[in-house]
Amino acid sequence: MVDMSTFVLDADARATLFTDARSNVHFSDQPVSMDAVHDVWDLIKWGPTANNTVPLRLAAATSDDARARVLEHAAEGNRAKVEAAPLVLVAARDERFHDHFALTGGSETAAARFDSDPEARTRFAHTNAMLQTGYLIVGLRAAGLAVRPLGGFDRAGLDADMFADSPWRSEVILLVGYPTDEHGAGDRKGRIDSTLAVKEI
Ligand SMILES: Cc1cc2nc3c(=O)[nH]c(=O)nc-3n(C[C@H](O)[C@H](O)[C@H](O)COP(=O)(O)O)c2cc1C
C-alpha cells in the first residue's frame, strides 16, 4: 500500500511514468514527430550526470535508408519489432563529450585528462549515457509515448555502418510510439520489491 503522503505526483502521473507503462511491442499508427523528440530531450537533459558531462546522443532513423540499416544490425529476434515501430532511435554515447566542456562547465584540466585516456572516457561516457537513457525512457512516457528498449543488436556493426566518422557509439535501440490497448509485451514480470532491495546499513 502506497503512503499517499510520500509522492508529489498523483496516481495518474505515476501510472503514466511507471505502474501502467509497459515496454510496448505494438504501437498505434500515429506517427511520432521529431518536435516531440526535441521537447522530450529538452526536458530530460536536466537529469544529473557525473561532472555534468551529458554524454547521451540520439540518432533518429527517420529515413527509409537509416531504418533499413538499423534493422540490418538488429538481432534476429528483434527484427519484426524494429519493423513495427513508428520511430526508431539509436541512443549513443559521445566519446568526445569533453569537447563540450565550455558549454557543460568542465575544466580545461579535466578535458585534457579525458583527452589522454580514451578507455576512461569510454567507461565514463557509457555509464552516464545509460543513466541518461533511463531519464529518456521516463521522459518519453511523460509525453504519452511508449518505449521498447533493445540491447540485442550488433553494436560494432551498427557503429561501423552509421557512426564511422563520428565519436558516437551505440548503446541501446529505442522503439518509440504511441501506445495501443494491446501492448504486446506479455504478462508483466515480477519486480524486486523494496523489502528485498532496500536495507538500512
Ligand atoms: C537495456 C535494455 C535492453 C533490452 N533488450 C531487449 C531486447 O534485445 N529485445 C527485447 O525484446 N526486449 C529488450 N528489452 C525489454 C525488456 O525485456 C523489458 O523492458 C522488461 O522485460 C520490462 O518489461 P515491461 O516494461 O513491459 O514490464 C530491453 C530492455 C532494456 C532496458
Side-chain angles (χ1 to χ4, degrees), residues 21-23 78 81 130 141 148-152 172 185 188 191:
R22 296 297 310 271
S23 299
N78 283 332
K81 296 171 195 163
M130 289 305 292
R141 289 173 171 182
R148 179 84 181 189
L150 299 181
V172 188
R188 187 77 138 167
R191 299 297 205 261

Side-chain angles (χ1 to χ4, degrees), residues 46-178:
W46 296 111
T49 53
N51 251 27
N52 196 39
T53 42
V54 199
L56 181 65
R57 305 288 181 265
L58 295 181
T62 50
S63 68
D64 290 346
D65 176 60
R67 280 188 72 107
R69 285 160 77 183
V70 173
L71 183 63
E72 189 186 319
H73 301 293
E76 187 62 44
N78 283 332
R79 295 223 168 119
K81 296 171 195 163
V82 173
E83 283 180 305
L87 179 65
V88 177
L89 298 177
V90 179
R93 64 181 183 274
D94 183 352
E95 299 221 322
R96 292 204 59 86
F97 58 85
H98 57 302
D99 287 346
H100 302 277
F101 272 12
L103 178 67
T104 60
S107 69
E108 283 179 24
T109 317
R113 208 175 47 237
F114 276 124
D115 205 55
S116 65
D117 192 345
E119 272 180 37
R121 235 161 56 210
T122 298
R123 267 198 318 275
F124 200 90
H126 166 70
T127 302
N128 286 282
M130 289 305 292
L131 182 62
Q132 282 192 281
T133 299
Y135 306 146
L136 177 65
I137 291 169
V138 176
L140 290 163
R141 289 173 171 182
L145 290 155
V147 186
R148 179 84 181 189
L150 299 181
F153 68 100
D154 173 10
R155 287 173 179 74
L158 188 147
D159 291 348
D161 191 10
M162 305 191 84
F163 300 138
D165 300 321
S166 156
W168 295 14
R169 294 292 175 265
S170 56
E171 295 282 1
V172 188
I173 294 171
L174 299 173
L175 309 181
V176 183
Y178 291 94

